[in-house]
Amino acid sequence: MKWLTVVLLFLLALPSYSQGQGQSPNGPPGPIGNPNNPNQGNQGNQGQGQGQEQIQNLILQDPKLLVPMTARNASQLALPTSVSLSNLSIIRNVLLNNIGHEGREIGLWAAGHGDFVKEESTSQVTTAGTIVAADKRFCDHLVLGLAGGYSHSWSSSLDMNAGWGGGYSILFGRVFYINQAVIGGGDSFETTRIGLLGTAKANSAGWFFSEVTQAGYIAKLKHLSIGPYALLQYSLAGNGTFSENGSAAPVTAHSGSQDSIVSDLGIEASYDWKKLTFKTSAAWEHEYADTTTFTRVNLVGIPSSTTTVSGTSLGHDSAIVNAGLNYKVNDRIAVGVGYIGQFGRRNYESNSIAGSVKVGF
């Protein structure tokens, strides 16, 4: 039986007792054995056997103990979901930085972005992605658009490909605007972690969804535009049940999901100088949902070992800093570059760069 194999492997990994010493099964080492007294040595061997028997009986009574003993880093299996939530925030920022209504009936644009996210419990996750979009202006105060994108994320323990699509709208007046975007998509991923007597790997797929609403007020003073804005984003990501292979104690990760609700309160400004436009913004972001990831796992073939493991708990507050530069090539074409950083959040930091090309008709 598989569980018996795991138990035996665990017992073999236990530190052995010195042949000449006695060991109390529940306390510190006993006195050194006297080679001229065979009974004292036998007492040490009996202590060792009793200790192993107690551990084996304990595991047989509660198989859940096998998971923390043989898969101590199983919390890494929640990484695909946390990366999806992080990517949704990145997509939000790139999307909102590029949509607009300035002087065009039909707009086409594309953006590429590179992102570097660090959580305390994982290695750095790098993401490279692209977004393409098209929109049309209706009447004098409404723009509707469609957008889609692809991204690839990787680290020492994850390799993920994701695709998404959605739509957005812009309702605007002389000094105010309301942006709204809804996107959804799916991903495929491979996880890798150091397991018992081998490397544990798994392949699976997940899904994600996000809705964003942003409203702002813009005061225009000659070449300067400045004003406050507020944002609310809801995100949800998850994956189905999947099992590992490649180690002596692979685990099955059960299906699950995690949500995120964030708000931003900030100020944004832009300045036009000839063909250049400088843009910047700063905001305080707050996460309302629980930031600790929980995953239900059990050793493959041992359903009774099902237990819940938790990942790193992230902070709830952070600062979002945005800076960019756009250059108007002619009346129809503009190019831009930008930077977005998230700082001050406990156990989390994000840095992103993006470049874009816009064509208006």
Side-chain angles (χ1 to χ4, degrees):
M1 298 177 66
K2 292 184 178 179
W3 63 263
L4 183 57
T5 301
V6 175
V7 170
L8 291 176
L9 289 170
F10 172 74
L11 293 177
L12 287 173
L14 287 173
S16 60
Y17 294 86
S18 299
Q19 292 295 323
Q21 293 185 345
Q23 175 76 28
S24 171
N26 297 313
I32 298 176
N34 184 347
N36 297 321
N37 187 349
N39 292 330
Q40 190 172 353
N42 290 335
Q43 289 176 359
N45 293 333
Q46 290 175 1
Q48 178 183 351
Q50 290 175 359
Q52 292 181 348
E53 183 178 356
Q54 283 189 353
I55 293 173
Q56 183 175 357
N57 289 337
L58 183 62
I59 293 175
L60 292 175
Q61 292 173 6
D62 189 0
K64 293 181 180 180
L65 294 175
L66 289 170
V67 174
M69 289 178 179
T70 61
R72 298 182 182 181
N73 55 358
S75 60
Q76 291 182 1
L77 298 177
L79 187 58
T81 298
S82 61
V83 169
S84 292
L85 291 177
S86 179
N87 285 346
L88 286 172
S89 294
I90 294 166
I91 293 170
R92 171 201 79 191
N93 291 327
V94 175
L95 195 63
L96 294 179
N97 284 344
N98 285 281
I99 64 177
H101 60 272
E102 299 88 354
R104 68 174 188 258
E105 294 296 324
I106 297 177
L108 303 175
W109 61 270
H113 57 92
D115 318 290
F116 311 92
V117 175
K118 181 68 173 68
E119 289 188 19
E120 183 182 40
S121 63
T122 65
S123 59
Q124 178 175 278
V125 177
T126 303
T127 298
T130 183
I131 298 174
V132 294
D135 53 49
K136 184 177 183 348
R137 183 171 178 171
F138 296 87
C139 61
D140 293 329
H141 303 287
L142 178 66
V143 172
L144 298 178
L146 296 175
Y150 162 82
S151 65
H152 177 63
S153 302
W154 67 94
S155 71
S156 60
S157 55
L158 177 71
D159 191 87
M160 173 187 288
N161 293 286
W164 60 272
Y168 59 87
S169 65
I170 309 169
L171 181 64
F172 61 94
R174 189 174 62 88
V175 294
F176 76 91
Y177 67 88
I178 299 176
N179 298 330
Q180 195 158 27
V182 178
I183 66 173
D187 55 62
S188 61
F189 60 84
E190 179 182 275
T191 62
T192 304
R193 67 181 184 85
I194 299 175
L196 180 65
L197 300 181
T199 300
K201 294 186 177 183
N203 293 279
S204 189
W207 50 268
F208 51 86
F209 166 84
S210 183
E211 192 280 333
V212 184
T213 300
Q214 180 189 38
Y217 177 89
I218 298 294
K220 295 187 178 181
L221 306 170
K222 293 185 178 181
H223 300 291
L224 176 67
S225 299
I226 188 170
Y229 74 94
L231 176 150
L232 183 67
Q233 178 181 22
Y234 173 76
S235 302
L236 181 65
N239 54 259
T241 300
F242 62 92
S243 296
E244 296 179 316
N245 58 70
S247 74
V251 303
T252 294
H254 294 258
S255 60
S257 62
Q258 184 177 2
D259 62 356
S260 170
I261 305 172
V262 300
S263 65
D264 284 17
L265 293 175
I267 187 169
E268 58 185 347
S270 65
Y271 185 83
D272 297 322
W273 183 71
K274 296 183 179 181
K275 292 186 176 184
L276 294 174
T277 299
F278 303 89
K279 293 184 176 182
T280 185
S281 66
W284 163 61
E285 182 168 288
H286 180 73
E287 172 65 74
Y288 297 90
D290 188 354
T291 62
T292 305
T293 55
F294 295 95
T295 308
R296 293 177 61 246
V297 300
N298 63 267
L299 293 176
V300 174
I302 315 177
S304 59
S305 66
T306 300
T307 188
T308 300
V309 295
S310 61
T312 301
S313 180
L314 306 180
H316 288 267
D317 297 284
S318 60
I320 306 294
V321 178
N322 192 336
L325 176 65
N326 290 334
Y327 176 74
K328 194 171 183 179
V329 179
N330 53 44
D331 291 338
R332 291 190 176 185
I333 301 175
V335 295
V337 293
Y339 165 81
I340 305 166
Q342 184 173 6
F343 306 100
R345 187 178 188 184
R346 187 180 72 250
N347 299 327
Y348 184 92
E349 183 177 308
S350 174
N351 293 276
S352 304
I353 55 174
S356 64
V357 177
K358 299 180 182 179
V359 180
F361 299 95

